[in-house]
Amino acid sequence: MLLKEYRICMPLTVEEYRIGQLYMISKHSHEQSDRGEGVEVVQNEPYEDPEHGQGQFTEKRVYLNSKLPSWARAVVPKIFYVTEKAWNYYPYTITEYTCSFLPKFSIHIETKYEDNKGCNDNIFDTELKDQEREVCFVDIAYDEIPERYYKESEDLRYFKSDKTSRGILQEGWRDTQEPVMCSYKLVTVKFEVWGLQTRVEQYVHKVVRDVLLLGHRQAFAWVDEWIDMTMDEVREFERTIQEATNQKIGIFPPSISISETPLSSCSLTGPASAPTTPMCTDAPESLSVTKDRPRKKSAPETLTLTDPAPSRAPQGSNLSPLVDSNHLEPSTPPSSSSDVAETDEQ
């Protein structure tokens, strides 16, 4: 298990980001989706929790096979997706990622938002319970972003909002910018497989950091698009863009379900501290083998020969049983130095 705390500041208020978060997630998912790959929205429902109150539950499938590093593609099926389940009790959210093909793999993200510069060192004291973690500050303006995600219009070193007059973000902007808020994210990555655990957990944290940097960067770069929206308007935008995203990746008809009736807490079970995703150890149906399918034989169990002709058989013509050599040998995974690609978040 590898635990890190990320702190990402933005020139916004927590109340403003309630709208901006929903807008950014929907638009970002749509941009990162393409035919056969991307983010499919399965469920989007109001949800009520006895501890955290009323919120919103979403379930998504993140299809990302071609975005995996080469060594990971060597061991996963081509039909591969990660399940994302999120409980949004803004300004507190829980997000979990699991994969039925990899039952020992999970990502757990707890998020809290505060109107400060990322200076609260005790924000996760209850959740951490004395666990050690690395604290990583993410600068949305000056941290390096993967080249494939760079857009000049989203470069916050040169961007200024027309509607809010915020920006351009100069060096040290967190200490001079008003307003400023911080997104605190406690990220736990687990991949309990001997020989691969450290490598996979470090890789996943790199992907998570890139996704957090890009998403929060875009939230401010798109501020003029969402700052005047009401909650009803952003929910309608969310509904429309999610249906378009499902169609974009090839889900016909769109499978999104948005209900106005809150789900009861018993319909989505989890530990008392916070709702979580039960781990599933069953392989996807597409990967399962039919149990009653007869085993294919490469040769008959016995071989019956007719009586030979009176003539003598040539020396060395004794027959031996056929051996089934149709087995696969694991290939050596390619080097991990190949470029990695992003998976989608939140």
Side-chain angles (χ1 to χ4, degrees):
M1 181 181 77
L2 187 56
L3 179 67
K4 293 186 179 184
E5 179 186 330
Y6 297 91
R7 300 181 187 180
I8 312 106
C9 290
M10 295 177 288
L12 302 168
T13 67
V14 172
E15 185 58 33
E16 288 171 340
Y17 191 55
R18 179 189 293 270
I19 301 292
Q21 176 200 45
L22 298 175
Y23 183 92
M24 177 271 292
I25 292 173
S26 296
K27 183 174 177 178
H28 174 89
S29 297
H30 186 73
E31 284 192 348
Q32 297 300 315
S33 299
D34 203 350
R35 171 68 61 174
E37 294 210 349
V39 182
E40 173 199 357
V41 180
V42 178
Q43 193 174 2
N44 189 349
E45 308 278 355
Y47 178 81
E48 190 168 349
D49 181 77
E51 180 178 353
H52 303 291
Q54 190 167 356
Q56 193 82 5
F57 168 76
T58 58
E59 180 179 348
K60 302 176 183 178
R61 292 176 181 174
V62 184
Y63 298 87
L64 42 71
N65 185 271
S66 71
K67 298 184 179 182
L68 295 173
S70 57
W71 57 266
R73 289 198 300 269
V75 296
V76 302
K78 290 185 177 180
I79 304 174
F80 176 76
Y81 65 83
V82 171
T83 298
E84 174 195 296
K85 293 187 178 182
W87 293 261
N88 189 341
Y89 309 104
Y90 196 88
Y92 173 61
T93 67
I94 305 157
T95 308
E96 289 203 343
Y97 298 88
T98 56
C99 176
S100 58
F101 179 73
L102 301 170
K104 296 183 181 294
F105 167 77
S106 66
I107 306 173
H108 181 89
I109 304 175
E110 293 189 54
T111 305
K112 295 183 179 182
Y113 303 101
E114 289 188 348
D115 286 314
N116 57 46
K117 302 172 184 178
C119 53
N120 188 348
D121 294 329
N122 304 313
I123 192 167
F124 289 116
D125 275 1
T126 303
E127 292 80 2
L128 282 172
K129 299 177 181 178
D130 299 325
Q131 296 181 65
E132 293 186 2
R133 90 279 192 191
E134 178 185 352
V135 176
C136 306
F137 284 88
V138 178
D139 190 325
I140 60 174
Y142 289 90
D143 279 2
E144 185 176 354
I145 193 169
E147 185 178 354
R148 62 186 175 279
Y149 299 135
Y150 177 82
K151 293 182 181 178
E152 186 176 353
S153 62
E154 297 172 3
D155 192 330
L156 304 185
R157 297 171 299 174
Y158 311 109
F159 169 79
K160 183 172 182 177
S161 166
D162 292 331
K163 292 185 178 180
T164 67
S165 298
R166 299 173 199 169
I168 301 172
L169 300 184
Q170 305 289 343
E171 288 274 10
W173 64 270
R174 285 186 302 173
D175 298 323
T176 59
Q177 181 69 43
E178 289 292 341
V180 64
M181 63 161 288
C182 184
S183 173
Y184 295 84
K185 291 185 176 285
L186 188 63
V187 181
T188 304
V189 177
K190 291 183 181 179
F191 187 68
E192 298 171 345
V193 176
W194 186 85
L196 290 175
Q197 181 171 1
T198 300
R199 185 180 187 181
V200 170
E201 290 178 352
Q202 289 177 345
Y203 165 74
V204 172
H205 266 289
K206 182 184 183 304
V207 172
V208 169
R209 187 187 181 284
D210 286 346
V211 171
L212 294 178
L213 172 59
L214 178 61
H216 289 78
R217 180 184 175 103
Q218 290 177 329
F220 180 57
W222 298 337
V223 63
D224 289 343
E225 301 175 25
W226 58 261
I227 193 66
D228 294 328
M229 282 186 169
T230 65
M231 180 58 69
D232 289 341
E233 289 171 339
V234 78
R235 285 297 183 193
E236 181 59 32
F237 172 82
E238 187 180 42
R239 182 198 307 268
T240 302
I241 204 74
Q242 286 172 354
E243 290 180 350
T245 301
N246 283 0
Q247 294 190 46
K248 188 176 181 182
I249 65 174
I251 308 299
F252 299 104
S255 59
I256 180 174
S257 170
I258 299 181
S259 172
E260 301 299 330
T261 305
L263 298 174
S264 64
S265 59
C266 61
S267 63
L268 296 167
T269 58
S273 61
T276 56
T277 307
M279 293 295 290
C280 175
T281 56
D282 297 330
E285 184 179 348
S286 59
L287 302 177
S288 60
V289 179
T290 307
K291 294 182 179 180
D292 57 356
R293 187 177 67 183
R295 182 175 180 271
K296 184 177 180 180
K297 300 176 182 177
S298 58
E301 295 180 357
T302 59
L303 188 62
T304 304
L305 302 178
T306 57
D307 292 336
S311 59
R312 293 179 61 186
Q315 186 176 0
S317 64
N318 293 335
L319 295 172
S320 59
L322 295 177
V323 178
D324 183 5
S325 61
N326 185 26
H327 65 279
L328 297 178
E329 297 180 1
S331 58
T332 304
S335 170
S336 63
S337 60
S338 59
D339 290 339
V340 296
E342 173 262 351
T343 60
D344 195 12
E345 100 66 286
Q346 184 86 50

